């Protein structure tokens, strides 16, 4: 039977190689018991206008010490005999950070009969936050949250002081409803007890309504026998105790129906974003006539485009254009319906998870960057990667042996194509046994690593969490009892690349330790070899003969936790343990890890980069890669890219050129290809393609100082690296739907990659201001107050790329073979003045590889141009021990060349014909060479100017 299933699966996968992803492997909402039940419940409740949930007013208690409000939420199931059933759910609410509210609804302890034979915990899983939240929040359980000040009023207080104000303000029809009003700084909140509802305000403006539509539904525990009595009139019983979907019929559903659901209405907005990963537009689709968005980590080879189907990663975080966000802290299979109402200027959403608790963090802010900042404060900042890892990565499934790797390495140099990482996919292993090398192909990994190291290059190898049965690694996992179990408590065996495999249980602390110990042995290299890094693939987990390509939901993890409860966070537990392993192995050299994961959850950004999985080499996948990368960028996980130039299939030369030109802007810039495709390392291309690709990759390297500065900003504030236009220009409603044109962070670089065949012209959209074509620095002005559309010619070697006036870009301009070899090169500064002759740019510099920056070993400066000719440098941070570390780590912090782009308005600005430096109010002439190219002023400084010092240059 298992074999038959496996064969069937192989067939499906094989078919998948030639077609797009086989949809029928995945459930539609109507085939998923809990999704369908909740959609029907929502429909019926809309008609009946009833609600069965109320907060018991008498139970409301405020714990002033912990600043938490506790209460009991009661669900009443009416019975004809009048013997209604009341189910209690503990409710707690607190303020988190300054502008966030967190509430949790659990189910009162669930008891199951002694003889139930259950091998899982009957309690709802309520620990997802411990994986998702950053360490600094992890140690605080909900009721230890530190809140500055919480004003708590019960109804009687409201009646005295606030009642009249509130009831007119909220236009309450039923003025006898109990309301609990809470205030914390700018945020206030009304809790309506019956029916249960929350209204959340920022500075007294209503932003979010929770349970406005009464879709709140918690399928409380009951046995199959008593089920009938526990059903509400609006409920259906579809697949409550069984699963009749073709591929998951085996699901034992040991606890029956357990789903949770709640609706959220975003007020004053008809644009919502987030909840990656989906191959759809950046602005989320209205799903009222289609499938809901699904968050469920699965392996979707050649996934379909434009659908709300689940993909490899899940971040249950959504925000609106009105800067309000929801973080649904749940790692179970989750579906989200979205309905825009233009008339009411509202977005109504409905969230449904298969089990677990309702644990929600709502944030209200003045703008979207602050929303993302809050979210990455809570779930952790994106890690600051080694600078080499934001260079170019050359990957394919597979480089066959050491010779192959070294020949790619030398060919790249021979053709002057810079790169930093070369990758080994699956086939480097001995018989797909991870933590081993195929000895005849890679007889001496240390030799390979030390050869690569000479030019500062790195090697990434793939290690997946499925482990082939019967070899020392899997044997140890079994003997240490840290394999994921089936529902009977036996080690689960499924099929993946190696055939029969087991899965490491990194949800267990001990499992993590064992996992780390494998890396310790595998990466036991000479101390000077710290250029080996890891790729965790297939960690959704992907299981070829599993339901929906993944793990059966009734598998069991450590502590009697069902896979059903933690599915979406398993991949994170794998890559976090891997990250910790690399970090500790390299601790003596203080080297920062680089790690790629395919599955992700909220919090994954702390330790890993990701990519958009198995795309195809055609134009549609190039086009969709941009909104996909943008979506992750606004959901706190910016280090992402798509396989260039499409994983499956052979791309045309034109597609290759355009894909590199788009991929250059992905935070993660990697070429990758399926094992069945033709070789396509860039030096193999004919001209002019080869030169186009080389120039593109070189441009990425020239821009590394700016990109690294953006990575630094992301690692401190969560600010997107590939950033939607509405982040920079929230004032234009039209920009909220744009996802084919974007900025690079706040650098002012504005790009619209060409993503269609034969496209020799593209229409770009420009906010008011001056825009400089990046290649020529020629400018044009949008002097209106509105957006302007303009056609840009796009011959094959041209990227539609502009610098917005008002920005300064730091670059390097010498071709070097890798990022490491650029370290000693001085900077060139490109200045794009605005209409007032002003421009600003940040520059962040550290050693690019160690954790020294966490000890203050970095330089951060801001360059400011005033009146078109005064350039000031004011370091914001320089290390205390600058002199000691300067030559060793920071290396070059000098500016050698300054280019001031010319614009039509500059006639009015004072332009100098000499360069002077100002000190103590006096001007001294500064040794330099001045020249003009197409009227753009070029200054070569000799001596160079150091950004670690304050200076003012008159140009
Ligand atoms: C699936 C990954 O998505 C792909 O990038 C990789 O090449 C294959 N696994 C083989 O390891």
């Amino acid at each position: 039977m298992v074999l038959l299933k496996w064969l069937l699966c192989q067939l499906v996968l094989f078919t998948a190689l030639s077609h797009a992803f086989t949809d029928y492997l995945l459930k539609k909402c109507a085939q998923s018991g809990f999704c369908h039940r909740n959609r029907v419940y929502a429909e019926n409740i809309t008609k009946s206008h009833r609600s069965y949930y109320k907060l018991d007013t008498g139970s409301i208690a405020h714990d002033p010490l912990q600043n938490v409000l506790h209460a009991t939420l009661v669900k009443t199931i009416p019975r004809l005999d009048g013997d209604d059933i009341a189910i209690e759910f503990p409710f707690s609410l607190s303020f988190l950070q300054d502008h966030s509210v967190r509430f949790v609804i659990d189910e009162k302890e669930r008891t199951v009969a002694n003889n139930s034979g259950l091998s899982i915990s009957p309690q709802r899983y309520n620990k997802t936050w411990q994986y998702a939240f950053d360490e600094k929040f992890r140690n605080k359980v909900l009721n230890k949250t530190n809140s500055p000040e919480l004003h708590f009023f019960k109804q009687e207080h409201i009646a005295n002081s606030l009642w009249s104000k509130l009831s007119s303000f909220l236009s309450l029809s039923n003025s006898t409803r109990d309301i609990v009003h809470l205030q914390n700084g700018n945020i206030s909140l009304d809790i309506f007890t019956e029916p249960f509802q929350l209204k959340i305000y920022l500075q007294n403006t209503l932003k979010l309504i929770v349970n406005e539509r009464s879709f709140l539904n918690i399928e409380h525990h009951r046995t199959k026998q008593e089920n009938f009595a526990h059903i509400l009139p609006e409920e259906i019983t579809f697949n409550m105790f069984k699963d009749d979907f073709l591929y998951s019929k085996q699901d034992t559903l040991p606890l029956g129906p357990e789903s949770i659901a709640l609706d959220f209405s975003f007020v004053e907005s008809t644009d919502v974003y987030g909840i990656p990963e989906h191959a759809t537009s950046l602005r989320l689709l209205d799903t009222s006539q289609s499938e809901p968005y699904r968050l469920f980590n699965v392996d979707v080879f050649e996934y379909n485009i434009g659908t709300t189907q689940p993909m490899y990663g899940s971040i249950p975080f959504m925000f609106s254009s009105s800067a309000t966000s929801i973080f649904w802290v749940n790692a179970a299979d989750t579906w989200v319906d979205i309905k825009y109402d233009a008339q009411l200027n509202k977005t109504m959403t409905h969230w449904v998870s298969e089990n677990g608790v309702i644990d929600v963090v709502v944030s209200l802010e003045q703008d979207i960057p602050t929303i993302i900042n809050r979210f990455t404060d809570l779930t952790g900042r994106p890690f600051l990667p080694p600078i080499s890892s934001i260079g170019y990565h050359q990957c394919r499934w597979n480089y066959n042996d050491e010779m192959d790797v070294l020949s790619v390495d030398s060919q790249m140099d021979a053709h002057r194509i810079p790169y930093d990482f070369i990758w080994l996919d699956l086939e480097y292993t001995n018989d797909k046994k991870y933590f081993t090398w195929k000895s005849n192909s890679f007889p001496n990994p240390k030799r390979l690593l030390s050869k690569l190291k000479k030019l500062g290059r790195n090697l990434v190898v793939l290690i997946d969490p499925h482990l082939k049965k019967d070899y020392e690694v899997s044997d140890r996992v079994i003997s240490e009892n840290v394999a994921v179990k089936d529902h009977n408590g036996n080690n689960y065996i499924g099929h993946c690349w190696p055939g029969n495999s087991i899965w490491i249980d990194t949800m267990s602390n001990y499992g993590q330790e064992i996992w780390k110990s494998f890396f310790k042995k595998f990466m036991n290299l000479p101390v000077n070899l710290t250029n080996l890094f890891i790729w965790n693939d297939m960690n959704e987990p992907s299981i070829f003969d599993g339901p929906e390509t993944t793990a059966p939901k009734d598998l069991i993890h450590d502590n009697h936790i069902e896979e059903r409860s933690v599915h979406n966070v398993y991949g994170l537990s794998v890559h976090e343990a891997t990250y910790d392993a690399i970090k500790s192995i390299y601790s003596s050299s203080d080297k920062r890890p680089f790690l790629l994961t395919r599955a992700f959850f909220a919090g994954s950004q702390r330790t890993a980069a990701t990519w958009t999985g198995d795309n195809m080499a055609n134009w549609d996948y190039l086009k969709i890669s941009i909104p996909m990368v943008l979506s992750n960028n606004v959901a706190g996980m910016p280090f992402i890219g798509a396989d260039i130039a499409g994983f499956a299939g052979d791309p045309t030369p034109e597609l290759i050129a355009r894909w590199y030109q788009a991929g250059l802007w992905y935070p993660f810039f990697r070429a990758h290809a399926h094992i069945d495709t033709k070789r396509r390392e860039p030096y193999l291309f004919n001209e002019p393609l080869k030169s186009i690709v080389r120039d593109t990759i070189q441009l990425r390297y020239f821009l590394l100082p700016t990109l690294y500065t953006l990575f630094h900003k992301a690692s401190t504030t969560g600010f997107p690296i590939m950033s939607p236009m509405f982040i920079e220009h929230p004032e234009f409603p039209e920009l909220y739907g744009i996802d084919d044109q974007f900025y690079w962070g706040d650098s002012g670089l504005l790009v619209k990659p060409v993503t269609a065949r034969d496209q020799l012209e593209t229409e770009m959209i420009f906010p008011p201001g001056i825009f400089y074509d990046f290649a020529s620095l020629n400018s044009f002005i949008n002097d209106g107050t509105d957006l302007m559309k303009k056609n840009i010619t796009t011959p094959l070697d041209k990227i539609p790329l502009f610098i917005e006036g008002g920005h300064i870009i730091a670059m390097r301009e010498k071709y070097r073979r890798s990022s490491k070899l650029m370290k000693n090169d001085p900077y060139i500064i490109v200045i794009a003045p605005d209409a007032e002759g002003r421009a600003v740019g940040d520059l962040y510099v550290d050693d690019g590889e160690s954790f020294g920056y966490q000890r203050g070993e970095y330089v951060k400066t801001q360059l400011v141009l005033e009146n078109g000719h005064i350039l000031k440098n004011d370091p914001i941070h320089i290390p205390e021990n600058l002199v000691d570390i300067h030559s060793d780590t920071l290396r070059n912090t000098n500016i050698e060349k300054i280019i001031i782009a010319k614009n039509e308005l500059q006639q009015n600005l004072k332009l100098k014909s000499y360069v002077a430096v100002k000190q103590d109010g006096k001007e001294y002439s500064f040794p330099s060479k001045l020249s003009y190219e197409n009227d753009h002023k070029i200054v070569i400084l000799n001596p160079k100017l150091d950004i670690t010092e304050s200076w003012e240059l008159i140009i």
Side-chain angles (χ1 to χ4, degrees), residues 299 312 396-397 425-427 462 464 497 535 537-538 598 611 613-614 643 647 670 672-674:
D299 182 354
Y312 312 93
R396 102 165 254 114
W397 179 15
D425 205 321
L426 182 59
E427 318 297 334
L462 174 132
D464 295 354
W497 299 124
W535 171 13
D537 191 16
M538 314 289 274
R598 193 170 71 175
W611 88 109
D614 297 344
D643 285 348
F647 178 63
R670 184 185 75 154
H672 183 37
H674 190 277

Side-chain angles (χ1 to χ4, degrees), residues 399 401-409 422 424 442 448 452:
Y399 291 121
D401 50 30
E402 183 174 345
M403 273 292 287
D404 195 3
V405 173
L406 292 174
S407 126
V408 173
D409 183 69
I422 188 154
L424 289 179
F442 295 95
L448 174 62
L452 289 171

Side-chain angles (χ1 to χ4, degrees), residues 668-682:
F668 177 54
F669 185 34
R670 184 185 75 154
H672 183 37
H674 190 277
I675 197 164
D676 293 340
T677 59
K678 290 195 198 111
R679 290 290 284 243
R680 43 165 127 122
E681 289 63 48

Side-chain angles (χ1 to χ4, degrees), residues 273 282 319 368 634 724-730 735-738:
Y273 307 88
L282 171 65
F319 64 86
I368 294 170
V634 296
M725 291 197 75
F726 63 71
I727 298 266
E728 287 300 288
H729 291 284
L735 296 182
Y736 285 86
I738 300 281

Side-chain angles (χ1 to χ4, degrees), residues 148-173:
E149 203 184 342
L150 182 99
H151 300 288
F152 172 76
F153 305 99
K154 279 209 184 160
Q155 187 195 349
E156 55 269 29
H157 295 104
I158 296 167
N160 294 339
S161 55
L162 285 169
W163 176 250
S164 52
K165 191 171 145 235
L166 270 176
S167 51
S168 63
F169 181 58
L170 301 169
S171 8
L172 294 177
S173 51

Side-chain angles (χ1 to χ4, degrees), residues 10 173 255 419 651-652 790 815 917 948:
Q10 292 300 304
S173 51
L255 290 167
Y419 91 97
T652 60
K790 196 171 156 60
Y815 155 72
V917 75
T948 62

